[in-house]
Amino acid sequence: MSQRFVYVVSDSGGETAELVVKAAASQFNSPSIQLKRVPYVEDKTTLAEVVALAKMNNGIIAFTLVVPEMRQFLMEEAAREGVEVYDIIGPLIGKMENLFGLTPRNEPGPVRVLDEDYFKKIEAIEFAVKYDDGRDPRGILRADIVLIGVSRTSKTPLSQYLAHKRFKVANVPIVPEVEPPEELFKVAPTKCFGLKISPEKLNHIRRERLKALGLDDKAIYANIDRIKEELDYFDQVVQQIGCDVIDVTNKAVEETANVIMNIIAKKGQL
């Protein structure tokens, strides 16, 4: 299968454009779609080179260029060479300018302001690292959100994702042989969220994890009966706490985080 190229061009880091392109490409379930990010573009020569590459490889260019002159040059150059382009941010800037009567700065990648919000984010990230995997139960009572679940239910990545949203998150593993920390039963149930997963899905995840570590995938860690035992114990713990339970079986980390934030918002905790 021949490769299909999407050139992601930006006058900043290009993360925004890349996320949009990846989301679009995921709809085709095709490994042949290849992304080529071209960040921090400051001159027209680079734009012309990207257009030439896209033409040679029969590719498409998706871009986030906030300087009107650069944006116009790319579109004109692409049209002249018969290359398809897609402006990700320009139309939205134009709509906001017209609707709100505001004038855009047209500055690529504005420097991050080290304000209170920024430091709050850093503090939340450090908190998530410090109180990850139940390593210090004192963090449970200090946390904005407490995540509990058996091993491999995405507690750590979910904690980090929520930390980037400025939430202080502690997470606690639930293991039948280990008594949950007493702080877990003192925290407000509205702050606690249990992460539930189907036995079959967890079995698959754990087996793949063992294989990745070069271990026998038939170890007790991935045994289906053992997994069911852990999940039964998890059910007992969350019932005792009285917290919300979220089924993460087929959810991405971002989806689970959104569910949690929506629940918190509805309860007026945001």
Side-chain angles (χ1 to χ4, degrees):
M1 183 182 295
S2 61
Q3 291 187 326
R4 298 168 173 84
F5 292 96
V6 180
Y7 295 88
V8 182
V9 178
S10 177
D11 45 21
S12 185
E15 292 89 351
T16 300
E18 185 173 31
L19 285 172
V20 173
V21 173
K22 281 184 175 179
S26 69
Q27 296 299 310
F28 298 96
N29 194 29
S30 173
S32 66
I33 299 178
Q34 301 293 317
L35 274 62
K36 299 288 185 181
R37 198 200 303 189
V38 186
Y40 303 110
V41 175
E42 298 179 345
D43 57 86
K44 295 178 180 178
T45 301
T46 302
L47 293 178
E49 290 173 352
V50 174
V51 170
L53 279 172
K55 181 179 181 179
M56 182 174 63
N57 294 309
N58 195 28
I60 184 174
I61 299 173
F63 65 93
T64 52
L65 297 171
V66 298
V67 178
E69 182 184 0
M70 296 287 281
R71 198 159 62 231
Q72 188 64 30
F73 175 83
L74 176 57
M75 290 190 291
E76 290 177 354
E77 183 72 8
R80 188 171 66 84
E81 295 294 337
V83 173
E84 290 287 340
V85 294
Y86 183 75
D87 186 354
I88 293 173
I89 200 171
L92 181 57
I93 292 176
K95 289 287 185 183
M96 294 174 74
E97 181 180 7
N98 294 332
L99 183 61
F100 302 144
L102 300 173
T103 302
R105 290 181 298 179
N106 296 326
E107 296 176 1
V111 178
R112 185 189 301 278
V113 179
L114 299 182
D115 56 10
E116 183 180 352
D117 183 64
Y118 175 76
F119 287 111
K120 185 177 180 181
K121 175 181 175 180
I122 297 301
E123 183 181 4
I125 293 172
E126 292 176 345
F127 187 96
V129 172
K130 184 175 182 179
Y131 298 109
D132 181 47
D133 206 32
R135 63 182 62 173
D136 186 347
R138 292 176 298 179
I140 294 173
L141 297 178
R142 295 179 52 208
D144 299 319
I145 296 172
V146 179
L147 305 175
I148 64 172
V150 300
S151 175
R152 311 310 294 180
T153 48
S154 300
K155 296 185 298 297
T156 295
L158 182 56
S159 295
Q160 285 295 325
Y161 185 92
L162 288 166
H164 279 79
K165 300 296 183 181
R166 285 66 170 172
F167 290 100
K168 292 181 179 178
V169 185
N171 73 74
V172 181
I174 301 300
V175 184
E177 292 78 15
V178 180
E179 190 73 22
E182 61 182 27
E183 289 86 353
L184 199 55
F185 303 101
K186 295 179 180 179
V187 71
T190 53
K191 289 186 176 183
C192 191
F193 294 88
L195 306 180
K196 182 180 180 180
I197 190 170
S198 74
E200 295 76 19
K201 180 71 172 182
L202 186 55
N203 173 255
H204 174 73
I205 292 173
R206 289 188 176 182
R207 288 180 63 188
E208 291 302 313
R209 176 62 175 167
L210 289 171
K211 289 178 183 178
L213 295 173
L215 302 173
D216 184 1
D217 67 347
K218 294 182 176 60
I220 187 67
Y221 178 68
N223 180 273
I224 191 68
D225 291 329
R226 166 63 185 186
I227 287 173
K228 289 179 179 178
E229 178 188 350
E230 290 184 34
L231 293 175
D232 286 342
Y233 182 65
F234 163 81
D235 288 338
Q236 295 173 30
V237 173
V238 294
Q239 187 173 8
Q240 188 176 351
I241 296 171
C243 63
D244 285 298
V245 177
I246 301 169
D247 191 338
V248 300
T249 302
N250 294 308
K251 283 187 174 66
V253 168
E254 296 87 344
E255 292 178 275
T256 306
N258 285 332
V259 171
I260 290 173
M261 289 188 289
N262 286 335
I263 291 174
I264 291 175
K266 288 178 181 178
K267 292 179 179 178
Q269 292 175 243
L270 283 178

